């Protein structure tokens, strides 16, 4: 902008926010969290550090929307996003990649360190969500260097683990394993 006005600056800030964050949940949007994954994976390769990703899916989300309504579904998404956001380290990144799916990027973190975090999130959700809005999540976990060294392959590995968690009864976490 040449000689920007207050309105121009405000518009620029709004556009920047929309390009980076999911409007509903206020966590990173798909484009930005995938960009972060790419950068963190490059850094992990360069410095030979661990990198763990967790792909989340809220269980029975369609049913929540159908039975309790979309406003309740939105509350579930916001609550889940806030609980995760409030319980991760500053160096971790969290974003919504679509619908009821979220991605957590844990730099310099071995896979084993993800499990205490996931249990803490489950415990907090069970405590604050109450019976009226009780919901669970499943997650698929994959890591560099053991599972993949490219972001698309790492995501695919986490997705396969997530599918297994769903098929095994939901409300659980699975690590990717090669069949």
């Amino acid at each position: 902008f040449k000689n920007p006005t207050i309105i121009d600056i405000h518009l620029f800030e709004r556009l920047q926010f929309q390009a980076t964050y999911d409007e509903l949940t206020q966590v990173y949007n798909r484009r930005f969290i995938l960009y972060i994954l790419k950068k963190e994976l490059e850094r992990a390769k360069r410095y030979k550090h661990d990198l763990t990703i967790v792909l989340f899916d809220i269980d029975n989300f369609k049913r929540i929307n159908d039975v309790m309504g979309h406003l309740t579904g939105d509350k579930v998404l916001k609550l889940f996003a806030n609980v995760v956001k409030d319980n991760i380290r500053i160096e971790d990144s969290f974003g919504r990649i679509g619908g009821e799916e979220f991605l957590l990027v844990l730099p310099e973190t071995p896979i084993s360190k993800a499990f205490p975090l996931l249990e803490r999130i489950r415990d907090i959700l069970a405590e604050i969500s109450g019976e009226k809005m009780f919901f669970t999540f499943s997650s698929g976990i994959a890591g560099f260097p053991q599972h993949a060294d490219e972001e698309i392959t790492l995501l695919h590995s986490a997705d396969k683990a997530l599918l297994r968690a769903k098929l095994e009864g939901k409300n659980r976490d699975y690590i990717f394993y090669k069949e």
Side-chain angles (χ1 to χ4, degrees):
F1 297 112
K2 276 188 179 178
N3 302 319
T5 65
I6 297 291
I7 294 170
D8 293 334
I9 293 169
H10 181 67
L11 177 62
F12 176 76
E13 288 171 349
R14 277 191 49 220
L15 290 172
Q16 192 173 28
F17 182 86
Q18 290 173 345
T20 308
Y21 291 93
D22 176 65
E23 188 176 344
L24 177 67
T25 60
Q26 307 293 299
V27 297
Y28 292 134
N29 63 25
R30 179 185 181 89
R31 182 183 312 110
F32 199 72
I33 192 68
L34 293 178
Y35 170 78
I36 289 172
L37 173 59
K38 179 180 179 170
K39 291 300 176 194
E40 288 296 346
L41 187 55
E42 288 171 2
R43 194 165 67 83
K45 285 191 233 181
R46 183 175 340 127
Y47 296 110
K48 297 180 179 20
H49 290 162
D50 288 326
L51 174 71
T52 296
I53 67 167
V54 181
L55 192 58
F56 294 97
D57 187 86
I58 296 175
D59 296 325
N60 306 309
F61 189 72
K62 183 182 179 335
R63 191 168 149 257
I64 291 169
N65 275 336
D66 290 349
V67 173
M68 296 186 244
H70 290 274
L71 290 177
T72 299
D74 287 352
K75 286 180 184 176
V76 165
L77 293 172
K78 289 180 202 176
L79 176 62
F80 179 75
N82 285 331
V83 168
V84 175
K85 200 170 41 173
D86 290 346
N87 284 279
I88 59 176
R89 305 169 303 177
I90 196 163
E91 60 268 22
D92 300 333
S93 299
F94 181 62
R96 183 176 176 202
I97 59 171
E100 71 277 9
E101 284 195 350
F102 295 83
L103 176 64
L104 176 61
V105 180
L106 302 165
E108 299 185 31
T109 305
I111 285 175
S112 62
K113 298 288 185 183
F115 287 101
L117 171 62
L118 298 174
E119 284 309 307
R120 185 168 63 246
I121 291 167
R122 253 192 198 87
D123 291 345
I124 292 167
L125 286 172
E127 187 177 310
I128 64 175
S129 67
E131 280 187 38
K132 254 182 151 177
M133 202 169 75
F134 184 75
F135 65 95
T136 60
F137 67 87
S138 298
S139 72
I141 305 163
F144 168 82
Q146 58 274 59
H147 298 130
D149 62 358
E150 298 299 324
E151 64 265 15
I152 193 74
T153 313
L154 197 57
L155 281 168
H156 184 67
S157 299
D159 193 45
K160 284 177 95 173
L162 175 60
L163 179 60
R164 179 158 181 216
K166 292 288 206 178
L167 292 173
E168 295 284 329
K170 302 178 183 170
N171 195 26
R172 58 194 72 224
D173 314 302
Y174 269 92
I175 299 173
F176 173 72
Y177 70 99
K178 295 180 183 178
E179 298 171 358

